[in-house]
Amino acid sequence: MNYKFDKIFSETIEYLKQLNPLIGGTGYSEVDPPGLPAGHRLRKVVIANRGEIAKRFFLALHEEGIPTVAVVSDADRGQSWYEFADEVVFIGDNFNYSNIPVIIAAAYLARANAIYPGYGFISECADFVSSVNTFSSEYDHEIIFMGPNYDTMHLLGDKVRARALARENDIPLFESSGIILNEDMDTALQEAGGIGYPVMVKLSIGGGGRGIYIANGPEELREAVQSCTRLGREQYGDPSFYIEKYIEDPIHMEVQIFNGWAVSLRKCAVQRRNQKIIEESGHTFIDDHLALSLMAAAEKIALLSGYSQNGGAGTVEFLIDNSTGRFGFMEINTRLQVEYAVTDQSLGIDLAKWQVLYFDGREDNILLYKNLKNRSPNIDHSIECRIYAEDPENDYMPSPGVIIEMDLPTFNGIRCDFGFSKGDSILPMFDPMIGKLISNGSSREESLIRMERALQELYIKGVKTNISQLLKIVRHQKFREGNYTNRLLDDFEELKFPGPGGGDSGGVNLNPVIFGTFTEYIRLIQEAVRQYIIMTDIERYTIPKMDQDIPSRFNARFNDISYRVEFVQVTVDTSHVFIDSSYRGKIRANSFNERSDDLIVIFGNRSYRIRLDRFSNALVLRMKNENNKIDYYQLEVVPEGKEETDPVHLVKSPFPGTFVSFPGNGIAVGDLVEEGEELIVLSSMKMDTTITSPVTGTITWIIEDGNLQNLMRAQNRNGLFVGRSIQEGEVLFIIECPDECVTGGPAERDKKAVVQGEYGTASSFMNSLLSDTPLEEMTGYRESDVELLFELLRAVFSGFIRDSRVVERTAGMQQEMPADLLLGYGPGENAIAGIISHYVCIRLR
Ligand code: ADP
Ligand code: ADP
Ligand code: MG
């Protein structure tokens, strides 16, 4: 024990009692919880985690009749994930999920006799296990840690120690250094030189893909070591690292073990930032000999580390070098992993329940456990997609926020492991995972079909998610073939950037541009009408017409191209639409909800169901593509005339987070910055994100005057320094640009797409109506033109067309037209038009 256990422990008890005034606090009691039959080792279990994995264990224990206790930090109080816990201990600070004394004190106060650690946080921390043991002996109340014992955790929690064990016992592994302490650059350079570049620099206690850096030569190695040790010091209080041969084209394969048995394999090669996003189990993708070699190596190291005597679930991770077929041991995770569910679904087992049964002393009840020796011949194929709150099209920018809507998929072969639901917040200080979607089928093909279906069905509104990227991946040829490696997202750029989601059949599909701007148009009309109704209630007779201009022209930016979209409204729900002055047809909103973010649009003889989510910088549309498959489209829409042309530009934080650093030598008022230059590093969802300058100009203001003392808060309870928290939208910098600086108006910024009109005769008529064609040239109408002209005249009279240019030209054409065609539309009709306009609440100009 490296701290004064008693003192810290009693202080922590007091801290928790203040937060939980009603809690008993008389200490642990042996009395059985009511209703729990004798014979259970587990009497009451604290789940030292949050979100999905916590909910899974509340429910798994609940099924066994064993009471559970949630620990809940301040920011999590309003969330739904702990609804199924039997008791709650509030733990205050958000860092306290990783605070050992707090977790143990919570178990003590709640009179629990076991702790389940989940994943992340302190799930792999040997100190945690030893503290639990010390508590158990010093306070004479046993608390069971539901995981491997201290020796095993100590050995495996540190990657360098685990690798040494593997090396000593002839388990294959790729070349690597021993542990390097004290940020020793000389040793690092020497080791890297010996191993041969490229190498990877890894924190010895990193996890979740953090603390891993590639270096192609000595210069990059210096930078890598600096970044790695900085992260280690700041985040984990331990900068020790090691160097490993970088495998350029690897495949991540891992073995699920249970008490030392190899249960089955998982392929986890779809990764971003060295963290998994899709995992598979069932089909192994490798030959039987290699598969058995991996399982054998996993059982061997499990046995050597003491896992077979205790421990329950664990995972042995390997990399296969795709160029040689050789494999190397990477690490063991001493817990149930995020992707355990694919093994569940593939084998038809329940690993979470196995954990409960095993630590409850009922090993014999584990279904299939004894049959494991047969290696389960009847397996399904199962695929998991991790649903993250992030924006893959924007370098995986974190996207914390409130889930406004969430529709989970249904029907055959789909499992949704979600810890959050509608109304919950995806919080900036925790992991970005919202939940996991798992499909299974008798073949990979079937599992894949179901996954694609389920990803289309899943809908989450309020935060940006990676669902559209996942759709692109599962539709991608390389992924479908199955022989992909960890390089999938590196080698296929289309999986990372905006663009059609795999279904587009050539040509630019501009429907998203039309529908995106149309929904914006409808929203503005609705707002104006609502405003008008409020006004007429009060001043019904004094304000005869709606005194508000609704913009009907928009600048839209889609896939890096800008378009000018224009609507000419002809009835309450119908408009003609033009893109860059070229007629595209008639569009009608068939039905929409109050917020106009879930609507049916009729366009080109087809109806489209559209759901959209509005963010400060983009609209995200979800709709079917030309192949009738759901896709996501992001675009920026700004009403014409609303562009920000102010020479003063505010750089705001795009998400809530905390301050990390300024780049390089810092930044000061008066500095000249180029567009795209790095301004500040913020942390959100455990990810560092660099904010760059959107314009070229001079910095005239910096948050907290750029004063680091104010930007780094004091030490937290774990002794780590934390940055000042930053609100979403908080101004970080003010940059003054030269006169020509124009921002926010997408259409003004860059290239124009060439869009061809594609609608026959009406098109030429409408186009000339909106062009500068002299009126005289437009005589000699075709039948369809006359019909259109009537429609427009009616719209003018009804007050839908407010654009003076169109009104004038339509009126002009009316003059030119043969009188007998104009039936009831003489000048006297203006009175009727006035009445109509009154009712439809829109001003006739
Ligand atoms: P695996 O479990 O497959 O190794 P990761 O390493 O990505 O996958 O999972 C561990 C990571 O999960 C942790 O590093 C942490 O970032 C994240 N994590 C921890 N707790 C939670 C939680 N309650 N919900 C979602 N993610 C979590
Ligand atoms: P973590 O503890 O974060 O899970 P790992 O050591 O398991 O870290 O590595 C995570 C991922 O990083 C691997 O799945 C792989 O994609 C990549 N990686 C790790 N080591 C190497 C290596 N030597 N060569 C290539 N890629 C690697
Ligand atoms: Mg790993």
Side-chain angles (χ1 to χ4, degrees), residues 763-796:
S763 150
S764 53
F765 175 79
M766 287 296 259
N767 282 340
S768 40
L769 190 70
L770 284 174
S771 72
D772 297 327
T773 320
L775 277 181
E776 308 79 70
E777 283 179 31
M778 290 181 62
T779 47
Y781 316 98
R782 284 165 294 237
E783 283 292 301
S784 59
D785 292 351
V786 174
E787 218 172 272
L788 261 176
L789 184 63
F790 273 137
E791 189 172 281
L792 288 174
L793 283 170
R794 220 175 295 127
V796 170

Side-chain angles (χ1 to χ4, degrees), residues 12 14-20 50 70-78 81 88-99 102-103 106 427 429-430 713 716-717:
T12 308
E14 284 314 307
Y15 173 73
L16 290 187
K17 277 186 179 170
Q18 277 170 19
L19 286 167
N20 302 273
R50 62 187 294 279
V71 289
V72 176
S73 79
D74 288 341
D76 263 337
R77 281 189 185 226
W81 58 261
V88 178
V89 178
F90 294 110
I91 57 171
D93 195 306
N94 296 312
F95 286 99
N96 285 341
Y97 288 110
S98 299
N99 186 314
V102 165
I103 300 299
L427 295 165
M429 52 291 227
F430 301 116
R713 234 173 67 191
N716 64 25
R717 284 173 70 88

Side-chain angles (χ1 to χ4, degrees), residues 645-648 696 736-743:
T645 51
D646 200 333
V648 174
T696 298
E736 280 187 29
C737 332
D739 295 345
E740 68 273 18
C741 157
V742 175
T743 56

